Amino acid sequence: MSGGVITQAPTPPAGSGPGRHGAADSSASWRLTDRLGLAFAWFLGLLFCAITAAIVIYLAVQGIRYLHPDLIWTNPQVGYTQNETGGFLDPLIGTFLVAGLAIMIAGPVGVGVAVWLSEYGRPAGLARVVESTVEMLAGAPSVVLALFGILLFESPALGFLSETNAGVVFGKSFFAAGAILSLVALPLVVSTVREGLQAIPNHVREASYAVGKTKSATIRRVLLPAARPSVITGHMLGVGHVIGDTAIIVLLLGDTQTMQGVGHVPLWGILRGTGSTLTSYIFDNAPTGDLNQPQKAYAAAFTLLLIVLALNLSVDVFGRRSRELRWS
């Protein structure tokens, strides 16, 4: 408007609106190399989906074929045929027991490290060292961690955590396996919780400070409750990673088909004793294993697959709730 005269903005030419930009960004206008790259990315994505579907379908078919309720409710036994060797109740219990011990250690430590890195990060040099250490643990081979665990838990100072005979510490127990497996779950807990804390807007912290809350009170009463879906997701991802490990189980749990307790105290004796999990049970009963009972291996693998799928489904549900709460 100039001098009382209303000027009208020029009308954009036809085809120059947002729809035109969308058309310009379509893959039809890309160069040949870009379209080949897009096609290759689609090929890889579909290939990975096909491989995953093939594994799931194959294990499902074999598992449904061989899995019977008595396998879940009976313990492994000594026998010559697959009908005489019982089920895998002890390895199933051992799986949950080891996973529980690992996440009980990795959970609080991981949340604490994530809070410190996200909200404090001082001194900066120590924070960089801790962050690099967590990343190193995420890429460390489990067999290397298992060898470290053997050296650690065979020391006389930790002899009370495993079986000891004539002054010799065996170093193999549920305690030892759970403690080393916590190092496997720790990077997942730290990264997931840290991402959840960093996704919280800064004005939430400022509002808490404005009403007189200290930094520690803000973390306890505001940030951690807001990041609860990420905390739960990190714990579930850690459990899913722990129950799929084999090297640490074989080397630090003793790989005995049944639970072998130490002493006369029920729970304490079991935790100090040896046993197995579903992964080591599958390893032993595979066609290339010592027991060579493939039907039992397929049934146990299908059971483990169901547990992992349930954990992944739970992670997806909590992830969706986290996004809904974030944008609500």
Side-chain angles (χ1 to χ4, degrees):
M1 182 174 180
S2 175
V5 180
I6 301 177
T7 59
Q8 185 177 4
T11 304
S16 61
R20 178 63 179 173
H21 294 288
D25 293 337
S26 65
S27 59
S29 62
W30 293 3
R31 293 181 301 177
L32 178 61
T33 55
D34 295 334
R35 281 182 285 177
L36 290 176
L38 177 62
F40 184 66
W42 270 96
F43 170 74
L44 291 180
L46 294 176
L47 178 62
F48 292 151
C49 291
I51 294 174
T52 303
I55 294 173
V56 173
I57 293 173
Y58 178 76
L59 287 180
V61 171
Q62 297 293 337
I64 294 174
R65 180 181 177 186
Y66 297 119
L67 181 61
H68 302 287
D70 57 337
L71 293 178
I72 302 177
W73 302 112
T74 57
N75 294 320
Q77 300 174 3
V78 178
Y80 295 99
T81 63
Q82 299 194 53
N83 295 328
E84 299 175 349
T85 53
F88 47 82
L89 177 60
D90 277 358
L92 182 62
I93 296 175
T95 300
F96 290 111
L97 188 57
V98 167
L101 287 172
I103 207 62
M104 285 176 61
I105 300 173
V109 175
V111 172
V113 172
V115 169
W116 178 67
L117 290 175
S118 177
E119 303 302 319
Y120 295 95
R122 294 190 304 269
L126 180 60
R128 287 194 296 269
V129 171
V130 172
E131 188 173 2
S132 300
T133 302
V134 173
E135 294 176 355
M136 182 195 68
L137 286 176
S142 59
V143 67
V144 175
L145 298 177
L147 292 176
F148 168 74
I150 291 176
L151 296 176
L152 180 65
F153 286 96
E154 282 184 348
S155 62
L158 298 178
F160 66 98
L161 295 178
S162 62
E163 183 178 359
T164 304
N165 189 5
V168 178
V169 180
F170 291 94
K172 297 181 179 182
S173 66
F174 280 96
F175 274 124
I180 299 302
L181 284 172
S182 67
L183 300 179
V184 176
L186 183 64
L188 293 171
V189 177
V190 172
S191 61
T192 307
V193 176
R194 189 181 180 187
E195 290 176 0
L197 291 172
Q198 291 177 344
I200 300 175
N202 286 328
H203 66 77
V204 175
R205 299 172 176 83
E206 295 171 357
S208 178
Y209 300 150
V211 297
K213 297 293 185 181
T214 62
K215 193 176 186 67
S216 60
T218 300
I219 293 173
R220 292 195 314 270
R221 301 181 181 180
V222 179
L223 299 183
L224 285 179
R228 185 179 294 113
S230 297
V231 175
I232 297 175
T233 299
H235 282 63
M236 289 183 177
L237 288 175
V239 171
H241 202 47
V242 163
I243 63 177
D245 192 275
T246 306
I248 295 176
I249 296 299
V250 171
L251 294 179
L252 285 177
L253 194 53
D255 196 21
T256 56
Q257 292 295 305
T258 58
M259 293 183 179
Q260 306 292 331
V262 177
H264 302 287
V265 182
L267 181 59
W268 178 256
I270 291 176
L271 295 179
R272 291 182 60 201
T274 58
S276 63
T277 63
L278 287 176
T279 54
S280 59
Y281 183 85
I282 296 169
F283 175 76
D284 291 333
N285 287 275
T288 56
D290 296 333
L291 301 179
N292 189 16
Q293 297 180 351
Q295 296 181 6
K296 301 291 181 67
Y298 283 127
F302 180 62
T303 304
L304 183 61
L305 177 65
L306 292 179
I307 296 174
V308 173
L309 291 177
L311 288 173
N312 290 334
L313 179 61
S314 301
V315 169
D316 183 64
V317 170
F318 280 108
R320 290 182 180 179
R321 289 184 180 180
S322 177
R323 290 189 293 269
E324 292 174 358
L325 292 174
R326 187 178 303 168
W327 292 106
S328 61

